[in-house]
Amino acid sequence: MRDTIPPQARVQTGVPQATRRRTPGGPIALLMLAPFLIAYLLFFVFPIGRAVQLSLTQSSLTETGPFVGLTNYVQLAGDPDFWASVLHTGQFALYTVIPVTLLGMLMALAVNRLVRARNFAQALFFLPFVLPVSVVTLLWQWILNSSFGLVHNLFGTDIAWFGEPTTAMPMVALVTVWWTVGFNMLLFLAGLQNISREVYEAAQLDGAQGWTAFRTITWPLLWPVTTLVLTLQLISSLKIFAQVYILTGGGPFNSTQVVLQYMYNTAFQNLDAGYASAIAVAFFLIILLVSLMQAALLRGRS
Amino acid sequence: MTGHGNRTWAAVATGSTLLLGALWAFPLLWAVLTALKTEEQAVAQPVQWLPTTPTFTAFRDVLTLGDLPRWFLNSALTSLVITLATVVLAALAAYAFSQLQFRGKNILFWVFLAGIMVPFEALLIPLFRLMNDLGSVNTYAGIILPQIVSPVAVYVFKGFFDQVPKEIREAAVVDGASEWRILWNVFVPLSGTVLWAIGIVTFIAAWNNFLWPFIITTSPEMMTIPLGLTQVQDAYGLRFARTMATAVLGGLPVVLAYLIFQRRVTEGFLTVTGVKG
């Protein structure tokens, strides 16, 4: 739930005037808000401040150490492992974001045409998305197993797909595309259903069919969903961790180590929570920057 | 194009869509088929597509020999509590934000909306330390607590409550009902679709959450399904039928939830993403 941002949901903060007199509200509102607010402060707001504070110290995983100012950030700026992890994360985003968007749109267009088999086809494409990440990785480790897997049997390959520097990241991306594309298909399907029949009928009278109809009607009217999908995908691809961790462990030769994994290793293996917190703050800034850039870019285009 | 040509084209398009769908879902079928084989059949060369004599041995083995039942219990327990707590906390807060008047309401609402920008992943270290200080590492409380805070759920609930006609609440107020009663007897029944949407999406997300249980659990018997499944390949080695039986069982609850509640699940995801209000 936390991953999704509803950019279009309506927010009304209007004050219902008629009931104002009857509801001083204060105490009851406080009681109703209290459980959420306490949890929110304790497990969300407090950790935000703490992450920033820890990033300015030299701390272990459980003990807060001395204040060192911006030392961690200076070190981070010149840390080749960190920049490599940023590069790998970008690589993963590059391999996944456009494919899942395009493929999701194509699937939605194909499924949307169906009448009777529609729910069935939708389920076939969507089902992988509801699976836990480790079910997905087990499945693909089996299919891509270099001596007994399906791909080996069909094509006679004996490549250790997740163990070669050239194939590891593309394969992690491929598995991720298979796993998550159904969700984008769902969003595009909802978008397609919002386009009324009459628009197409009117276009048909003007002779617009097939590709022309897609280019002049479907594509522009799907643009809001497309921007939503691109935004959600880019941000979620920057948060990549589990698939890489399980499938490659960051290897071979650190060639797939991503930002979150570098943060995890620094904090929980090297027990350097101060430096890891600086990575966490940098990670947040990257996400913020990318979201802002993307928002500006997409607004410019629409 | 003639009507006949159109129909042929439609049939071809339908056929190829279904074929592609079948191909897309094939890995799932392949896992089930492998799980129904004996270990020898699973690795037979050349590949045996169908289990010659389907057997549930692999399923029986993983349910009796390993920690799988325990992981199921942990996942079911934590996911249900997380779902219940998320829905209750969010509904209460959303009602206050939507229907009640109090000082600082708008500022508070925007402050907490701004929080949606902060990725949970950036908070892992302070959250782990907090849980460590509270003595909650490797406990159910440790797994559950950070997962019950969902600003998105509050946001979606509030969006729905805002659209309930004012007259409905006014009538209840005139009848002398307390705010708690109005929320419970009027707004909660009205919000069926939204309630289900948030509930199902929260449950699936909680069941599938990998990162936080990965950080906060330290022993196999506290692991949830997504985490436990990463252990089985090491444990079973080259036992592929067993490994696939574990994968099938681990995915079963969410697949069933999807198949049973297909419409509600899709509606849920659309509502939470904001595509559908």
Side-chain angles (χ1 to χ4, degrees), chain A:
Chain A
M1 294 254 339
R2 210 191 286 269
D3 273 346
T4 44
I5 304 159
Q8 288 149 16
R10 278 143 298 203
V11 188
Q12 289 168 7
T13 43
V15 178
Q17 292 296 336
T19 54
R20 190 170 231 175
R21 187 179 47 83
R22 283 290 315 263
T23 50
I28 286 178
L30 202 65
L31 270 177
M32 286 184 163
L33 279 171
F36 181 84
L37 275 187
I38 291 169
Y40 185 69
L41 287 173
L42 200 57
F43 303 118
F44 204 70
V45 178
F46 169 71
I48 294 174
R50 197 91 164 103
V52 176
Q53 182 219 345
L54 283 172
S55 75
L56 303 173
T57 66
Q58 193 181 53
S59 297
S60 74
L61 190 55
T62 49
E63 300 295 325
T64 307
F67 177 84
V68 293
L70 293 175
T71 315
N72 287 327
Y73 290 98
V74 173
Q75 191 189 335
L76 195 64
D79 180 352
D81 287 340
F82 170 69
W83 291 110
S85 75
V86 172
L87 185 75
H88 300 148
T89 309
Q91 234 176 345
F92 176 78
L94 191 71
Y95 294 157
T96 53
V97 174
I98 304 283
V100 288
T101 307
L102 277 183
L103 211 54
M105 187 189 283
L106 288 176
M107 283 174 176
L109 288 169
V111 169
N112 198 43
R113 298 189 77 263
L114 302 181
V115 187
R116 267 179 302 170
R118 194 197 165 110
N119 281 345
F120 180 63
Q122 189 185 323
L124 290 177
F125 289 119
F126 186 74
L127 260 182
F129 179 73
V130 300
L131 295 174
V133 60
S134 37
V135 170
V136 172
T137 52
L138 279 181
L139 257 165
W140 284 93
Q141 278 168 332
W142 167 224
I143 289 173
L144 296 173
N145 183 288
S146 59
S147 7
F148 302 106
L150 204 56
V151 169
H152 163 80
N153 275 306
L154 289 176
F155 304 105
T157 53
D158 48 6
I159 302 164
W161 296 100
F162 300 115
E164 304 275 346
T166 46
T167 55
M169 192 55 106
M171 276 306 176
V172 173
L174 188 82
V175 170
T176 307
V177 169
W178 178 80
W179 180 31
T180 55
V181 73
F183 180 61
N184 295 337
M185 175 201 66
L186 197 70
L187 300 184
F188 279 118
L189 270 174
L192 283 172
Q193 270 148 36
N194 284 338
I195 306 176
S196 74
R197 283 270 132 239
E198 286 116 59
V199 184
Y200 285 108
E201 280 157 17
Q204 213 158 12
L205 292 177
D206 294 338
Q209 264 187 324
W211 172 246
T212 321
F214 175 78
R215 200 173 45 81
T216 55
I217 304 168
T218 317
W219 175 259
L221 289 178
L222 272 188
W223 186 244
V225 182
T226 313
T227 60
L228 172 69
V229 168
L230 283 171
T231 308
L232 291 178
Q233 280 308 324
L234 186 58
I235 293 174
S236 78
S237 68
L238 296 179
K239 297 177 182 176
I240 167 96
F241 172 74
Q243 301 100 290
V244 184
Y245 182 81
I246 302 170
L247 288 173
T248 72
F253 317 115
N254 277 353
S255 65
T256 57
Q257 174 157 285
V258 289
V259 175
L260 278 184
Q261 193 182 355
Y262 188 48
M263 180 189 93
Y264 167 78
N265 286 344
T266 307
F268 294 90
Q269 317 252 292
N270 303 342
L271 305 178
D272 189 349
Y275 193 53
S277 295
I279 302 174
V281 173
F283 168 73
F284 166 61
L285 291 178
I286 291 173
I287 291 214
L288 192 68
L289 193 74
V290 168
S291 337
L292 292 177
M293 264 167 48
Q294 201 175 23
L297 217 70
L298 292 174
R299 198 169 301 130
R301 289 223 24 198
S302 62

Side-chain angles (χ1 to χ4, degrees), chain B residues 149-173:
Chain B
V149 186
S150 174
V152 174
V154 179
Y155 191 70
V156 173
F157 261 127
K158 181 182 180 295
F160 177 80
F161 288 164
D162 282 345
Q163 283 168 38
V164 174
K166 265 184 243 158
E167 294 76 22
I168 292 185
R169 182 166 171 280
E170 278 162 24
V173 171

Side-chain angles (χ1 to χ4, degrees), chain B residues 66-132:
Chain B
D67 284 324
L68 192 64
R70 175 72 199 229
W71 299 333
F72 253 102
L73 182 78
N74 293 344
S75 273
L77 189 82
T78 54
S79 305
L80 284 173
V81 174
I82 289 166
T83 306
L84 202 69
T86 302
V87 169
V88 170
L89 261 59
L92 280 171
Y95 183 81
F97 277 129
S98 170
Q99 303 291 322
L100 302 178
Q101 299 313 319
F102 54 93
R103 229 182 310 161
K105 174 168 115 166
N106 288 347
I107 297 168
L108 197 61
F109 186 65
W110 287 111
V111 162
F112 110 86
L113 266 193
I116 295 183
M117 293 295 292
V118 181
F120 176 77
E121 291 80 358
L123 307 178
L124 290 175
I125 297 156
L127 274 175
F128 176 84
R129 288 181 58 125
L130 178 65
M131 288 302 156
N132 190 49

Side-chain angles (χ1 to χ4, degrees), chain B residues 171-194:
Chain B
V173 171
V174 170
D175 283 351
S178 72
E179 297 296 348
W180 305 96
R181 260 195 97 81
I182 300 174
L183 172 59
W184 181 248
N185 288 347
V186 182
F187 278 74
V188 168
L190 275 177
S191 63
T193 321
V194 180

